[in-house]
Amino acid sequence: MKDEEVSSRNILNELNGAEWLYFTRSIMTTSYPSTYGHHLRKAHGANKPPQLMSQLIEFFTKPGARVLDPFAGVGGTLIGASICKKPREAIGIEINQQWVVIYQQILKEYQDQLLPQQLFCGDCLQLMAEMESESFDFIATDPPYNIHLEQTMSGKQRAHQHVNRRTIYDMRSDDPSDLANLPSYEAYLEVMEQVFEGCHRLLKPKKYMAIIVRNAYQHGEYTFTHVDLARRARMHGFIPKGEIVWYQIGTRLRPYGYPFAYIPNIAHQYIVILQRV
Ligand SMILES: C[S@@+](CC[C@H](N)C(=O)[O-])C[C@H]1O[C@@H](n2cnc3c(N)ncnc32)[C@H](O)[C@@H]1O
């Protein structure tokens, strides 16, 4: 393997051997400058760095590929596709108009620098059903992690203790199709199964899907959401291929269980990699 050259047999991306190897490590830390409309995007409590999303897109696609994000928020994936060395086309779906407006503001602010992508406002289950089968080369998304997390982070007690007025942790809209409004974790997993079914139909065979998930400690119990989601995806034609632990350096440590019990300070998220059969 020649480190500096892109292999002529490389059917997946345009990375050389060294770049390919570096990406395949299973732990990642990131530290990016606060650019690409970060001052606007940070209003969304779960926004993802466009630079991280572009790393994923550049590994899992070649130029000319089409990328889908069914839970697009303020557009981390869409901006990520635009800032790839050779930009890719990306389509996003977001149920909350408030976040769609922020993405549009960013496009206005960066009109000479960012390739504009399409962000549709609506329920991803409905809008995905209208899209053409096998029309995407990669899906990258972070769904609402689970309803408990959203409720806890926006819960009255914590909201007062850890107030951060510029960030909205209660990301729920009033729309009943918003996954964060589901009544239970089981109901969340069932709807995610429907989302995976839709993703399977839209993705070309053998192509990849990356799901970013944060696990949660709730009501005295730890939930392995990333495992639950990978298993549900497996039931709908996706083979689990691996996970990248995304270590969020700088996470503030809070004395949740001190000095009585072990309660983790969760300072990482998982990027679960699945391949469509
Ligand atoms: C974890 S956030 C995604 C953040 C995004 N990656 C970004 O960089 O901003 C999940 C998003 O899914 C949206 N959402 C929830 N239910 C949805 C649905 N049924 N269809 C489309 N979007 C939905 C929420 O409004 C939320 O913005």
Side-chain angles (χ1 to χ4, degrees):
M1 185 178 77
K2 291 201 179 115
D3 278 2
E4 300 302 324
E5 280 174 24
V6 181
S7 164
S8 56
R9 291 178 301 141
N10 185 341
I11 54 163
L12 185 57
N13 56 40
E14 285 201 333
L15 302 187
N16 64 37
E19 292 166 330
W20 180 297
L21 269 195
Y22 189 66
F23 181 87
T24 56
R25 73 210 183 285
S26 61
I27 294 184
M28 188 185 257
T29 49
T30 56
S31 167
Y32 302 117
S34 304
T35 49
Y36 305 117
H38 180 259
H39 60 290
L40 296 168
R41 286 186 294 105
K42 72 180 179 188
H44 190 305
N47 79 83
K48 294 296 166 297
Q51 298 94 328
L52 168 68
M53 302 315 293
S54 99
Q55 270 180 275
L56 294 173
I57 293 168
E58 284 186 335
F59 187 88
F60 287 107
T61 68
K62 279 181 178 285
R66 290 182 86 229
V67 178
L68 173 69
D69 183 349
F71 299 100
V74 288
T77 304
L78 303 191
I79 300 169
S82 301
I83 63 171
C84 287
K85 280 178 211 132
K86 294 179 187 165
R88 279 45 161 186
E89 181 192 347
I91 308 283
I93 306 171
E94 168 54 50
I95 205 161
N96 193 334
Q97 179 73 28
Q98 179 184 11
W99 308 132
V100 177
V101 167
I102 288 186
Y103 176 67
Q104 285 159 351
Q105 282 173 329
I106 294 167
L107 284 186
K108 237 188 234 164
E109 209 170 288
Y110 285 78
Q111 52 184 304
D112 302 326
Q113 295 162 58
L114 282 180
L115 174 75
Q117 309 281 5
Q118 270 191 302
L119 177 53
F120 297 105
C121 189
D123 172 17
C124 64
L125 279 177
Q126 250 179 26
L127 295 183
M128 283 164 71
E130 293 165 16
M131 293 177 178
E132 197 185 323
S133 297
E134 301 185 8
S135 56
F136 289 94
D137 302 275
F138 181 46
I139 296 178
T141 196
D142 58 319
Y145 309 117
N146 66 56
I147 55 162
H148 304 296
L149 174 70
E150 308 251 345
Q151 281 164 4
T152 301
M153 292 189 82
S154 61
K156 281 189 201 113
Q157 198 194 350
R158 294 246 161 83
H160 283 301
Q161 279 169 7
H162 312 302
V163 69
N164 177 351
R165 273 174 289 164
R166 292 196 192 120
T167 301
I168 302 169
Y169 288 113
D170 185 355
M171 286 160 285
R172 276 172 289 173
S173 62
D174 297 331
D175 196 313
S177 310
D178 187 326
L179 267 62
N181 290 327
L182 289 167
S184 67
Y185 183 57
E186 189 50 38
Y188 164 78
L189 291 177
E190 276 167 23
V191 174
M192 281 307 296
E193 272 191 52
Q194 293 174 40
V195 173
F196 293 142
E197 228 176 302
C199 290
H200 185 271
R201 187 182 67 77
L202 294 180
L203 205 53
K204 294 176 189 168
K206 304 277 180 218
K207 297 290 182 181
Y208 290 88
M209 174 162 81
I211 307 168
I212 306 182
V213 194
R214 188 183 188 280
N215 289 340
Y217 182 92
Q218 295 287 318
H219 314 301
E221 192 173 333
Y222 190 79
T223 310
F224 293 91
T225 312
H226 74 297
V227 177
D228 291 338
L229 287 179
R231 290 204 172 125
R232 301 291 172 126
R234 199 177 195 294
M235 290 158 65
H236 295 278
F238 285 98
I239 307 291
K241 288 290 173 178
E243 65 189 11
I244 301 169
V245 177
W246 176 32
Y247 171 39
Q248 292 177 292
I249 209 160
T251 300
R252 207 148 108 206
L253 300 182
R254 304 186 194 284
Y256 294 124
Y258 179 81
F260 304 109
Y262 172 77
I263 298 179
N265 266 286
I266 301 169
H268 68 285
Q269 297 193 29
Y270 287 97
I271 305 175
V272 177
I273 309 295
L274 303 141
Q275 186 178 29
R276 184 202 191 280
V277 180

